[in-house]
Amino acid sequence: GYFRVPVRLTLREGRPILRLLDPSRRDRLPEPVRVAVLASGGGTNLQSLLDRFNAVESPVARVELVVASRPGIGALERAERMGVPTATLSVREMGAEAYTEALLAELDRRRVGLVVLAGFLQLVPLAVVERYEGRMINIHPALLPPSGGAGLYGMRVHRAVIESATRVSGATVHHVSEEYDSGAVIAQWPVPVLPGDTPEALAARVLATEHRLLPLVVEELARGGASPVQRFTDPVAFDLVPRSGPAEESIRGLMTTGDRGQGTGDSLHG
């Protein structure tokens, strides 16, 4: 675990020395929020979370479970390389009731405080959504609400955006509710739709933004500082064309923050 201890910094022969003032005074810090990631594909968004929270020991959050909707996917391989426990659960094979019970059991066993849907192509059972209300989020590869709903995922959503002739797409992180893509938006970032774009080209630019956006939202939620907000500015998107994704400080500026310890993050600890 993590502890807050009183120390004094002094110098001895030019070298810094930390002295513990009172060994009996150790205030235990909250444990990192335990995160479960639900995935159905290659797991690049999962990798962005592993790189931020698991590659080095983070005091804020840590991925403790990866649940896959089918075997053999890249997300499972990424989790196993990092030593993160995994489970493969298929509602088609198990049936709705058994699937719901198994998913809840896995989340409970790992004492999960925050559930992240990252390219997850199964509808989350209502009982799970209700149990994790306010503690379950999804990353969507377009701007919500206009580019969301049942059937709009993967290349389908990028194709629909291009066919709509809109000039701006983007990435959105939102709370999960009982309907597809209808939960409150936490943060989103625009990405330009360029002349001659293909779904694959647009997807690559959006994905680079997803990799920046999702870890920052998870971190803000774990700290208790992210509130639902829908706010973005189109000109910024076009300024970002030469870059691989938005700067962290720019994304943070789009998320409203409340008093630490009074936001959603308080309930994320088991």
Side-chain angles (χ1 to χ4, degrees):
Y2 297 86
F3 294 88
R4 182 184 292 111
V5 294
V7 297
R8 175 178 296 162
L9 177 63
T10 60
L11 293 177
R12 176 183 296 174
E13 298 177 354
R15 298 173 57 188
I17 303 294
L18 285 177
R19 295 185 179 279
L20 188 63
L21 297 182
D22 184 355
S24 65
R25 288 184 54 200
R26 300 202 304 174
D27 302 325
R28 188 177 182 87
L29 296 177
E31 291 186 355
V33 170
R34 302 170 70 88
V35 178
V37 178
L38 278 56
S40 297
T44 60
N45 272 311
L46 164 64
Q47 189 66 55
S48 73
L49 297 177
L50 294 172
D51 290 345
R52 191 172 191 92
F53 301 117
N54 290 54
V56 294
E57 192 168 339
S58 169
V60 178
R62 186 170 180 84
V63 178
E64 297 286 354
L65 174 67
V66 171
V67 178
S69 59
R70 53 195 175 93
I73 63 174
L76 288 173
E77 296 175 6
R78 294 175 188 275
E80 289 164 1
R81 283 199 298 267
M82 294 292 292
V84 176
T86 64
T88 301
L89 304 174
S90 171
V91 66
R92 291 180 180 177
E93 295 180 2
M94 303 174 66
E97 185 175 350
Y99 174 79
T100 299
E101 292 178 357
L103 180 54
L104 285 173
E106 288 288 345
L107 297 174
D108 289 344
R109 187 158 67 95
R110 301 293 174 185
R111 297 186 290 114
V112 167
L114 177 65
V115 179
V116 178
L117 277 55
F120 190 62
L121 301 183
Q122 290 186 162
L123 183 64
V124 179
L126 181 58
V128 181
V129 174
E130 292 176 343
R131 173 84 67 86
Y132 287 88
E133 182 180 4
R135 300 185 295 143
M136 180 181 291
I137 63 174
N138 179 56
I139 178 94
H140 182 72
L143 295 180
L144 295 178
S147 299
L152 287 179
Y153 59 86
M155 287 300 163
R156 294 184 181 186
V157 69
H158 301 300
R159 189 173 295 109
V161 166
I162 291 172
E163 291 174 352
S164 73
T166 183
R167 296 179 61 206
V168 180
S169 187
T172 301
V173 180
H174 64 97
H175 287 291
V176 175
S177 65
E178 63 275 10
E179 297 181 12
Y180 280 114
D181 302 331
S182 63
V185 170
I186 302 169
Q188 51 190 180
W189 193 270
V191 173
V193 180
L194 303 179
D197 251 345
T198 63
E200 291 77 12
L202 178 57
R205 289 200 305 282
V206 172
L207 188 60
T209 294
E210 292 178 48
H211 294 165
R212 298 285 187 93
L213 187 65
L214 183 59
L216 289 174
V217 172
V218 169
E219 184 173 299
E220 287 298 310
L221 287 171
R223 293 183 184 278
S227 303
V229 60
Q230 284 192 7
R231 180 170 49 181
F232 58 89
T233 53
D234 292 354
V236 176
F238 294 93
D239 291 342
L240 290 171
V241 171
R243 301 187 54 163
S244 61
E248 287 193 4
E249 60 270 19
S250 299
I251 294 176
R252 290 185 190 279
L254 292 185
M255 288 188 285
T256 59
T257 56
D259 293 334
R260 299 297 186 195
Q262 295 184 11
T264 307
D266 265 6
S267 62
L268 301 186
H269 294 276

